[in-house]
Amino acid sequence: MKSPKLSARWSRLTRLLVPVVVLAATAMVVAPASGANAAAAVFTDDFNGAAGSGVDGSKWQLETGDNVNNHERQYYTNGTNNAALDGNGNLVITAKRENPAGYNCWYGPCEYTSARLNTAGKFTQTYGHYEARMKLPRGQGIWPAFWMLGEDIGSNGWPNCGELDIMENVGFEPNTVHGTLHGPGYSGSGGIGAGYNGPNFSDDFHTYAVDWSPNKITWSVDGNLYQTRTPADLNGNRWVFDHPFFLILNLAVGGYWPGDPDGSTQFPQQLVIDYVHVTA
């Protein structure tokens, strides 16, 4: 379980371009859909393109700014300095120890740059299978995430819009990834979730997924189901996972949950994404 001292992790509202900002479980194998029963793909990005090129602007937008709410240390940039294709079918989000443009963060001159992408206004969906194959970065203070927010965050606010964290990892837990729900009455350190213990997730690619259906969400890593959540888990609070959500990929540096980088943290650090696939 996440430590209570991490309670301020936690507000996802940020000053960015777009204003959107452990329980042990027995693994079960989830068989992938195939043949005539395979679900139709509704969002696919395999990140094919020339090395150094940017992401597909018809699918993703880059947010800019810092995040005072989580006390993260990075400044999110647009362009290709921190998010670019590698020419081998991957998107690489790179966190760097630098401040090339004199960016100012909540704590003063920014110390790091990175990137955060979302599909708000470009792709949203209610229910389905969401997965990404990724190789995670490593090191104290490093915080990669693949997650979703309710599209009504602008009008309904967080956490009423709902937040679904498909995969989060903090550098001091190289062998653990987390999946969490946030909503009214169960946000922040009170989020409902679990961790999955496995190999060092920065050593190789792994597939992180959720299957989302009415009143039920399951999480898996490499096809191993490790968590199921339903309205019964919310202690009487409201289930807000019944409307469209959009996708987010980001690599944060520092913050209440991971803590700040220290002398052992090497830069640059990279979150390498092979693909993001969503099916109905």
Side-chain angles (χ1 to χ4, degrees), residues 111-146:
E111 299 171 344
Y112 307 93
T113 62
S114 190
R116 174 164 149 167
L117 301 79
N118 72 61
T119 66
K122 298 174 183 291
F123 169 76
T124 63
Q125 179 169 289
T126 309
Y127 312 137
H129 177 85
Y130 301 72
E131 74 172 49
R133 184 173 182 265
M134 302 184 289
K135 183 178 180 181
L136 304 188
R138 68 179 75 209
Q140 170 58 38
I142 303 301
W143 186 4
F146 172 43

Side-chain angles (χ1 to χ4, degrees), residues 188-229:
S189 62
I192 306 297
Y196 176 86
N197 297 319
N200 188 318
F201 291 103
S202 65
D203 286 342
D204 206 347
F205 286 90
H206 296 274
T207 302
Y208 306 94
V210 294
D211 285 278
W212 174 23
S213 57
N215 294 324
K216 182 179 178 181
I217 301 173
T218 64
W219 284 255
S220 62
V221 177
D222 295 329
N224 299 308
L225 173 65
Y226 73 94
Q227 177 182 203
T228 299
R229 296 295 173 183

Side-chain angles (χ1 to χ4, degrees), residues 164-176:
L164 198 172
D165 298 328
I166 302 171
M167 187 291 303
E168 291 185 283
N169 168 262
V170 286
F172 60 80
E173 294 180 333
N175 301 92
T176 304

Side-chain angles (χ1 to χ4, degrees), residues 13 20 30 69 76 102 156 196 202 205 216 256:
L13 299 179
V20 299
V30 180
N69 296 292
Y76 289 128
N156 209 17
Y196 176 86
S202 65
F205 286 90
K216 182 179 178 181
Y256 286 115

Side-chain angles (χ1 to χ4, degrees), residues 57-77:
S58 70
K59 297 177 179 180
W60 302 95
Q61 58 190 338
L62 288 156
E63 303 179 27
T64 60
D66 65 337
N67 189 346
V68 62
N69 296 292
N70 285 333
H71 274 203
E72 298 164 15
R73 312 292 293 188
Q74 81 289 327
Y75 187 95
Y76 289 128
T77 72

